[in-house]
Amino acid sequence: MVGLTSAAGLVGFLAEPDEVQVYALSSLNDSIDTLWPEVAPSLSLIEALYEDEKFPQRELAALVASKVYYHLGEYNEAMVFALGAGKLFDLSHPGEFEDTIIAKCVDTYISLSTLHHPPGPINQAAQLNTSFGATGGSSTNPGLSSPTTPFSQSTLPSKSLLSRQESNTIDPKLPGGGNADISGAHPTPLALTRSTQKALQAIINRLFEACYESGAYQQVVGIAVEARNLAIVREAIQRAGEEGGKSGKKAAGSNRDKTEQLLGYLLDICMNVVQEEGLRREILQLILEILKYTPNPDYFAIARCVVYLEQDTIAWEMLQHLAKQQDPHAWAIAYQLSFDMYENGTQDFLTKIIDQLPASEPKEEKPHMNGSANPQPTPQQRSESSDAPNGTTELPISRTKQRPESELKLYDSIRIILQGTKSVELNLEFLFRNNHSDVRILNKIRDSLEARNSVFHQAVTFASAFSNAGTANDSWFRDNLEWLGKAVNWSKFTATAALGVLHRGNIWSGQKLLDPYLPKDGADRGSIYSQGGALYALGLIYSNHGTHVLDYLRNSFKNATDETVQHGCALGLGLAGMGTRAENLFEDLKITLFQDSAISGDAVGLAMGLVEAGSGDLEKIETCLVYARETTHSKIVRGLAMAIAIIMFQKLEKADGVIAGLLEDPDPILRWGGSMTIALAYCGTGSNKAVRKLLHVAVSDVSPDVRRVSVLGLGFVMRNSPGNLPSIVQLLSESYNPHVRYGSAMALGIGFAGTGNLEAIDLLEPMMKDSTDFVRQGALIAMSLILVQQTEAMNSKVAPFRKTLMKTITDRHEDALAKVGAALGLGIIDAGGRNCTVNLQTQAQLIGMALFTQYWFWYPLGLCGALAFAPTTIIGVDQDLEIPSFSFYSATKPSMFDYPPEQEDKASEEPTKVKTAVLSTTAQAKRRKVQKERQARRQSLDPGPTTPKPNEDDKMEVDEEKPARVEESVAPEDAQAEAMEEDSPAAEEATKKKVEKEKVGYKLENVSRVLPAQLKYISFPEERYRPVKKPTGGVILLTDTKPSEPKNLLEMKAKKKTPKTAPTAGNAQQEAGESASAAAVGAAAAVGAAAGAGVLTAVDEDETGEEAELPREFDYETENEE
């Protein structure tokens, strides 16, 4: 049938009787895509037919009108008339018109639903009782008293949670104002009538039913989450569970998998997409309610929800439920949950769980296993235990009487795991066993950087500390006592603190190792810088699990009279007590803060924030802000500004009021703190609101520090979804302002840490040749963050970058800051003996990276970067928490994830004299001559005169001997060709070895290095040991399928090799002489440690009890004892 070419006649029929009108509408509906320009002027007639209640085909008229408005670009009107079309609007019909209207209906439904489900109280921006700069109730600061600030949530349109682009022309708060991301959307939203809203709900219900029938439950869940309608989410999960029941028993397993997949999808979008903390908590509570009543719940999903919500009671109930089952597999799950909660939970959360665990017989010796010299019993070791409720001490006693001995033993093991003892022990064992740090690289850095320069000395310290982080291997420091003796003042502070990075996690003997450096009550106390550095090192060793040293650090902090010692002790106290939220610690720090010391005040401010990390306590923030405005020391202001950012860690919109006030402050340091607060409060959320604000500050603020940290903060905000980060930072990386360029480099490094992203590398490569020295420094550090744990087989940029780092350090004409960046880069890229990556997931890791970026202002804070290191390993542990000897399989080539080659040692460079023009030409000419004579002798039957003998005599001369050596080195290809011609067995073996190396698939022993990119290729073919969950790296619990058979255990080498307590500095030289002939490794290690203590604790010549000013040139010597 030939289509209509004109609609003039049909339009005329619209004024005829009903039957003719119905015919005209039906004909127009079939050809409206081509005839709509002629029908558009008669839209009023079609609308009149739709409004006429007596007209029999009102729905048909509405459908025709909807299509005309669609072609006109009026999508709001098109949606309204499509809703009036009822069932004539076919959802299943594929077409642009149907897809557009459905999208518009969904967006409008979301807008209407959000009106009925407004954000809860937790979503409102937090505001302080006292305003920023105003004391009365009517504050003049618009950042707190008015909702008109650009960052205030109340003035921003409630955009889609799926991060759709916002439109300023449509207000989604009005009914029908949803934005479907379609160009040409109507600027004025329609006010939907009640009947239209009912029709809209009917369309959405039909859409949901279609999704249910096709099994697309994830689409329903996504729309419901975006609309904040958790009732629909619950219904979708229930429908997914009921589907398998109708299918029979065979589908029960697949049904359970489908429900788990749906819950996993919901949990994923909740943690990575939803940007409102209140809605996120509601969704997590819903997931917990559903999982609690599931026959076989996903305990690991529950643990993830519990850790975020900090529901310690639910965590205890879950562990208790698993313990009562008396099943080895259930106990293995309980152990695995404990490991996961330790890795992701805060100290305050873990302590609350530990307090609820029943104890067997009281054992006072346990604290001493962790290297604590504190004689107090276990319940009193925690400083805030005196503030605990009365019932907490009686609850374990009543539970103990009713539990079997095996169950109590399980709880004791769980307590050890939650305290961090077992995780640290296993990680230390892995790092100790597989340490591949290259001493040649460290020696090259030491020789290339002048040790008398304090900046260079600290750079070498960073490189050596990072490359051996967590390995308990301090041999390089003990072998370089002469270099170590050149450290003075704050460089000595950093060198001593670096021991905390080397022995990080060594909680059995950490305090004993640092005993020679720690403050003592005697007359000869040694250098105050080594004492402060030792206390800082103690905090690094016990960072985020400092229960057993908090009392010691607190007492040391109270007794310290020197500002330098207070500085180091405050940093150690903050790191060890991170996230404990202990009131007594905060009060002690506040008392010292009010002394207004510039040296100790900076560290005290940081420690106050670390203790209250992630608490969002407005009273603590108020205390910091009030004093920041009163003090005149910029260092204290900066420390308090950083503390505010740490306190607001991942508080999302709850921090908006504080952020707005900080950004509007006239003090650039507080504005700097506002940008850092955005970075940490919205860390990992990818929030468009936070990104827009950071970009606005980066291009508008007058302070270079504020602009730099604003761009750097983009890396923190987009850490979990950095796909768009290169496009955002690309123009900033070409900015005229070097601080902005530095910030863009560091943002790329933080956002793509450990990923090897090529797009980020392409942006960083030009910045490594920037004209500004600190921009090159930032580019080198960022590149090392990206390429850490990347092999040459995985990324071709690794080898050239390592050469660039070495070239930068050895180049005498290179700037000092660029050399420092290269030294830091070499330490980071070889972190943990080439066994650690930069993993920015947990609170401690992210805060550690934020503190690392503060090396810009204070170099010793750069050591906090070790907190972001995570071992790349799989450590299998059985139900007895022992390490069995077994192997797993990697379906890759061995060279793909192998260690990088060690630095080649170019010992002798004498052959360079051989490379002269005469020798090269003569060697080639003589080689050709000898070959021709050899060929002639083979062709001739008569051997002839032996003419080469005089030439052999000539070759014995000095000038002739060297070309012979060159001949061998210049022509290796000829030798290989001859070997191949002769088909020697050595050549065959060499080819076989090459083929074997390229074979895909190989076995890995337990406690081996497994890179994050390698995890997807790992399998466990061994029949005896099976993991309780999919390997994700770290500690994996194994179920022993053959428990009756004897098992082979790996020997724990780390504890045996730990150095003994070092003697005091006074008799270090005597002890070194007495043990010179000792053969025991432990004794030698102790002597080396003693010698190091003598060097670091020696008092500098210009040190008179007060802080010595840093000289311009470090040309004086120190009193070292060797």
Side-chain angles (χ1 to χ4, degrees), residues 1004-1043:
L1004 287 170
E1005 296 299 325
N1006 195 10
V1007 196
S1008 296
R1009 187 181 82 149
V1010 178
L1011 302 187
Q1014 191 179 2
L1015 288 172
K1016 57 185 177 182
Y1017 303 107
I1018 296 297
S1019 59
F1020 290 79
E1022 189 167 333
E1023 297 181 357
R1024 179 167 182 176
Y1025 295 104
R1026 296 291 183 182
V1028 297
K1029 71 169 189 176
K1030 184 178 180 181
T1032 56
V1035 181
I1036 300 294
L1037 260 294
L1038 305 171
T1039 56
D1040 190 355
T1041 59
K1042 302 177 182 178

Side-chain angles (χ1 to χ4, degrees), residues 220-492:
V220 178
V221 170
I223 296 174
V225 169
E226 198 167 356
R228 298 194 184 97
N229 193 340
L230 299 187
I232 300 297
V233 176
R234 185 187 297 272
E235 180 186 356
I237 296 175
Q238 291 177 352
R239 292 283 294 268
E242 294 173 358
E243 180 183 353
K246 298 178 180 179
S247 302
K249 295 183 179 180
K250 294 183 179 180
S254 61
N255 165 59
R256 185 165 52 252
D257 294 341
K258 186 176 295 184
T259 305
E260 292 177 358
Q261 291 176 3
L262 186 60
L263 287 173
Y265 170 76
L266 178 60
L267 182 61
D268 182 64
I269 62 174
C270 175
M271 301 300 296
N272 300 323
V273 179
V274 175
Q275 299 173 7
E276 298 178 12
E277 186 179 6
L279 179 60
R280 181 178 293 179
R281 288 182 175 274
E282 292 178 4
I283 296 174
L284 292 177
Q285 291 285 3
L286 174 63
I287 295 175
L288 282 178
E289 293 177 7
I290 295 174
L291 289 175
K292 286 173 65 176
Y293 297 102
T294 304
N296 296 315
D298 185 357
Y299 292 104
F300 302 108
I302 296 177
R304 189 176 177 186
C305 300
V306 164
V307 170
Y308 184 86
L309 296 173
E310 295 188 351
Q311 296 285 345
D312 55 282
T313 304
I314 299 178
W316 153 243
E317 292 175 354
M318 180 172 56
L319 294 175
Q320 186 182 32
H321 172 72
L322 291 170
K324 289 181 178 180
Q325 296 184 19
Q326 297 292 329
D327 178 39
H329 182 73
W331 286 15
I333 294 178
Y335 288 145
Q336 186 68 63
L337 291 175
S338 302
F339 279 112
D340 294 347
M341 286 189 289
Y342 167 74
E343 292 294 334
N344 299 282
T346 62
Q347 286 198 74
D348 182 57
F349 170 72
L350 297 174
T351 304
K352 291 178 180 178
I353 301 176
I354 293 174
D355 291 341
Q356 299 179 66
L357 293 175
S360 54
E361 295 296 330
K363 296 180 181 180
E364 305 296 337
E365 301 83 358
K366 285 189 176 180
H368 302 281
M369 293 176 61
N370 296 335
S372 175
N374 192 349
Q376 296 180 353
T378 307
Q380 298 179 1
Q381 283 188 345
R382 182 170 172 80
S383 57
E384 63 269 25
S385 60
S386 59
D387 302 330
N390 296 330
T392 56
T393 57
E394 297 178 359
L395 187 59
I397 298 176
S398 61
R399 288 174 177 171
T400 303
K401 297 179 180 179
Q402 302 175 359
R403 300 178 186 277
E405 183 179 354
S406 59
E407 188 174 338
L408 292 175
K409 183 179 179 181
L410 170 69
Y411 288 128
D412 289 340
S413 300
I414 292 177
R415 181 180 294 104
I416 294 175
I417 296 173
L418 293 178
Q419 289 175 346
T421 305
K422 198 63 184 179
S423 295
V424 170
E425 176 187 357
L426 297 174
N427 289 332
L428 181 62
E429 179 69 21
F430 161 71
L431 294 174
F432 185 84
R433 282 173 170 267
N434 301 275
N435 185 12
H436 282 73
S437 59
D438 196 342
V439 180
R440 298 183 184 89
I441 294 179
L442 297 179
N443 293 336
K444 191 69 174 180
I445 300 174
R446 178 204 60 196
D447 298 337
S448 302
L449 301 181
E450 175 56 43
R452 292 292 181 182
N453 189 324
S454 177
V455 174
F456 285 162
H457 195 284
Q458 294 188 71
V460 179
T461 302
F462 289 148
S464 58
F466 285 165
S467 61
N468 291 281
T471 62
N473 179 20
D474 56 359
S475 59
W476 191 86
F477 279 89
R478 292 187 279 106
D479 295 339
N480 292 272
L481 296 180
E482 181 181 357
W483 166 85
L484 198 62
K486 298 178 181 179
V488 293
N489 296 341
W490 289 106
S491 59
K492 180 176 292 185

